[in-house]
Amino acid sequence: MPARTRKTPQRTCIGCGEVKNKKELIRIVRTPEAEVLVDLTGKKSGRGAYICPNPDCLEQAVKGNKLAYKLDTEILADDKKRLSEELKKAISNEQ
């Protein structure tokens, strides 16, 4: 019997709509305590949405209210600013 090959999980970026490997994307999560965080581990509990490591994708997701819809919560201006800063920091660490 041949060895089984594992499927690579695919996720869709909510900013640009591209389907990519899960490991290529950054997860944004709404925790059970209703906090919205950047989840670099991809393992935090809560409702998640995926986004490309690209500031333009975050802007598209926030501007169109796609992120708020996917996370089923309201995203305040302070949260948007904080998420943007955290994402920029995560992107610069990846490169």
Side-chain angles (χ1 to χ4, degrees), residues 14-88:
I14 61 169
C16 63
E18 284 187 43
V19 176
K20 296 185 178 187
N21 290 341
K22 183 177 170 182
K23 291 193 183 283
E24 294 176 27
L25 301 172
I26 297 172
R27 183 171 185 245
I28 298 175
V29 65
R30 177 191 43 111
T31 65
E33 296 80 33
E35 284 183 285
V36 178
L37 307 168
V38 173
D39 178 14
L40 296 175
T41 65
K43 297 183 189 298
K44 288 185 180 168
S45 114
R47 184 172 181 90
Y50 290 85
I51 196 158
C52 293
N54 179 343
D56 294 338
C57 285
L58 176 66
E59 192 160 319
Q60 286 295 318
V62 171
K63 191 168 84 174
N65 264 350
K66 294 176 192 173
L67 185 60
Y69 177 77
K70 292 286 185 187
L71 297 180
D72 195 22
T73 189
E74 186 179 343
I75 299 179
L76 306 171
D78 292 345
D79 289 334
K80 290 176 187 176
K81 187 176 179 183
R82 183 180 45 79
L83 284 172
S84 179
E85 289 170 7
E86 286 180 32
L87 250 173
K88 285 176 186 169

Side-chain angles (χ1 to χ4, degrees), residues 2-10 21-23 43:
R4 297 180 98 191
T5 56
R6 295 183 137 242
K7 287 173 99 180
T8 306
Q10 301 279 297
N21 290 341
K22 183 177 170 182
K23 291 193 183 283
K43 297 183 189 298

